């Protein structure tokens, strides 16, 4: 029998009207109708199998690439980051990491095991699941260059093992089977590349000098167009420091929009669109969002 999310008996936690501003790095966003934190994969599987087939599902990592509109998200937000924290060595040069493992933890553990190149994962302030969904990358490395296989779960709670060939992967873009989400990945590293904590720290220090890390943001708002940088196009269009409400184009890195403290999702979305239209007008380049914009506008 199918059931609405709040009627299900689960081991994990179900919260109603959970403000997504608590779960996004921009610190904005309206409520999730239902916010589910499963206790385990079995709990998640049971929940999905019993859930009403019409209920929208949105999967959440830690919200470091998400703009949730002020009206919030209908249906169920699944926040599995706490349940999927397994991290183990699969063999001499492979590691299996749960979708909830922070990328920084993956980087540090791989460095301890002497498996590289892995330092770049430390530059991604999200989860392994978010990195798989985004093909996140930093400092010349990309998530899917390292993927040997993934385990996924579908809307019916069935678990699958899949290969990279099952996905169309490109720069910050991953297309796979519909209605399936990542539970874990096995990453393959190069036996002859030795990573170092010093190398990782140098990369992180470089970020501190070039990115506005003290203010809420979601990292780069736009993907880089072929052969150019969005930050360069935005800066030369005169947009650094431009504000709408509490949202501001960072004066430190033009492809970042920061929340100066009182921004709404609507301020941020309006500023994103203003930047997009201005760059189109000035440079004739149509920038594509890297950030995922989801949910409903406030009525
Ligand atoms: C300061 C800062 C710097 C950043 N620098 C970089 C950078 O250098 N490189 C880079 O690539 N990104 C960067 N980002 C963006 C962000 O960290 C990455 O996109 C990251 O991979 C998002 O992970 P997340 O867990 O926060 O995912 P979320 O933001 O929660 O979700 C992002 C997308 O992934 C989907 N998703 C999440 N988990 C799963 C899952 N298990 N299965 C299926 N879909 C899932 C969501 O539905 C959503 O569509 C930065 C962000 C910030 C705030």
């Amino acid at each position: 029998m199918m059931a609405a999310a709040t009627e299900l008996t689960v081991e994990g936690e179900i919260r109603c009207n959970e403000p997504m501003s608590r779960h996004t790095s921009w610190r904005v966003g309206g409520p999730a109708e239902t916010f589910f934190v499963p206790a385990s994969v079995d709990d998640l599987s049971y929940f999905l199998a019993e859930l009403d087939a019409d209920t929208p599902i949105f999967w959440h990592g830690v919200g470091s690439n998400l703009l949730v509109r002020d009206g919030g998200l209908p249906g169920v937000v699944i926040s599995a980051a706490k349940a999927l924290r397994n991290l183990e060595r699969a063999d001499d040069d492979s590691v299996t990491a749960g979708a909830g493992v922070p990328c920084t933890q993956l980087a540090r553990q791989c460095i301890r095991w002497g498996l590289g190149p892995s330092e770049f994962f430390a530059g991604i302030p999200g989860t392994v699941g978010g990195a798989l969904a985004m093909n996140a990358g930093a400092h010349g490395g990309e998530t899917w260059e390292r993927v040997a296989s993934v385990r996924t779960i579908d809307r019916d709670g069935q678990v699958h093992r899949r290969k990279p060939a099952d996905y169309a992967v490109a720069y910050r873009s991953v297309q796979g089977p519909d209605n399936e989400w990542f539970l874990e990945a096995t990453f393959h590293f190069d036996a002859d590349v030795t990573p170092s904590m010093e190398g990782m720290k140098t990369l992180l220090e470089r970020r501190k000098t070039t990115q506005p890390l003290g203010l809420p943001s979601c990292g780069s708002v736009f993907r880089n167009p072929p052969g150019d940088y969005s930050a360069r196009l935005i800066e030369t269009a005169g947009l650094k420091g431009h504000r709408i409400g509490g949202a501001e184009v960072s004066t430190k890195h033009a492809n970042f929009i920061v929340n100066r403290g009182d921004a709404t999702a609507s301020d941020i979305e309006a500023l994103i669109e203003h930047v997009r239209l201005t760059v189109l007008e000035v440079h004739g380049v149509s920038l594509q969002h890297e950030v995922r914009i989801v949910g409903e506008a406030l009525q």
Side-chain angles (χ1 to χ4, degrees), residues 155-187:
R155 243 207 107 98
D156 300 321
Q158 299 291 318
V159 174
H160 307 264
R161 182 165 291 282
R162 299 207 175 272
K163 292 282 175 198
D166 296 323
Y167 296 84
V169 176
Y171 165 59
R172 303 296 178 269
S173 162
V174 179
Q175 301 294 324
D178 285 342
N179 288 317
E180 260 184 52
W181 301 277
F182 299 109
L183 292 176
E184 66 178 28
T186 297
F187 296 103

Side-chain angles (χ1 to χ4, degrees), residues 93-116:
D93 48 17
S94 303
V95 168
T96 298
V101 171
C103 291
T104 45
Q105 187 188 344
L106 174 64
R108 283 175 185 278
Q109 189 55 55
C110 287
I111 294 169
R112 282 187 205 109
W113 282 327
L115 296 172

Side-chain angles (χ1 to χ4, degrees), residues 125-162:
T127 60
V128 164
L132 289 167
M134 295 300 307
N135 191 23
H139 312 292
E142 265 188 359
T143 302
W144 278 82
E145 287 167 357
R146 298 283 134 214
V147 174
S149 66
V150 291
R151 236 163 41 106
T152 63
I153 192 163
D154 66 22
R155 243 207 107 98
D156 300 321
Q158 299 291 318
V159 174
H160 307 264
R161 182 165 291 282
R162 299 207 175 272

Side-chain angles (χ1 to χ4, degrees), residues 36-275:
F36 176 49
V37 184
S40 63
V41 173
D42 285 348
D43 195 33
L44 173 60
S45 190
Y46 163 80
F47 177 89
L48 288 168
E50 295 293 313
L51 191 68
D52 191 314
D54 299 332
T55 305
I57 297 175
F58 182 78
W59 205 282
H60 175 261
V62 288
S64 64
N65 200 49
L66 276 188
L67 180 62
V68 179
R69 293 192 177 98
D70 300 308
L73 280 159
V76 174
V77 172
I78 294 179
S79 180
K82 280 189 192 153
L84 307 172
R85 295 299 276 261
N86 53 306
L87 178 56
E88 62 264 329
R89 204 156 171 173
D91 60 36
D92 280 356
D93 48 17
S94 303
V95 168
T96 298
V101 171
C103 291
T104 45
Q105 187 188 344
L106 174 64
R108 283 175 185 278
Q109 189 55 55
C110 287
I111 294 169
R112 282 187 205 109
W113 282 327
L115 296 172
S118 50
E119 296 99 322
F120 73 92
F121 276 114
I124 302 162
T127 60
V128 164
L132 289 167
M134 295 300 307
N135 191 23
H139 312 292
E142 265 188 359
T143 302
W144 278 82
E145 287 167 357
R146 298 283 134 214
V147 174
S149 66
V150 291
R151 236 163 41 106
T152 63
I153 192 163
D154 66 22
R155 243 207 107 98
D156 300 321
Q158 299 291 318
V159 174
H160 307 264
R161 182 165 291 282
R162 299 207 175 272
K163 292 282 175 198
D166 296 323
Y167 296 84
V169 176
Y171 165 59
R172 303 296 178 269
S173 162
V174 179
Q175 301 294 324
D178 285 342
N179 288 317
E180 260 184 52
W181 301 277
F182 299 109
L183 292 176
E184 66 178 28
T186 297
F187 296 103
H188 177 85
F189 294 96
D190 297 337
D192 55 350
V193 175
T194 308
S196 75
M197 286 290 176
E198 281 64 38
M200 183 189 81
K201 283 180 189 153
T202 306
L203 296 180
L204 293 179
E205 280 304 317
R206 202 191 304 160
R207 288 187 159 241
K208 275 193 205 156
T209 57
T210 57
Q211 299 182 356
L213 298 185
L215 290 167
S217 80
C218 79
S220 293
V221 171
F222 297 99
R223 300 174 197 182
N224 289 322
D228 211 335
Y229 292 97
S230 296
R232 189 194 75 77
L233 295 167
I234 297 166
E235 183 169 350
T236 53
L239 287 161
K240 263 189 166 179
H242 190 88
R243 273 177 96 144
I244 293 183
E248 181 184 274
V249 177
S250 167
T251 50
K252 201 165 184 183
H253 188 311
N255 199 18
F256 279 51
I257 287 180
V258 293
N259 178 353
R260 299 298 314 188
D262 56 353
T264 61
S266 145
D267 293 340
I268 294 173
E269 191 170 6
L271 187 53
I272 291 173
E273 187 57 6
H274 176 75
V275 169

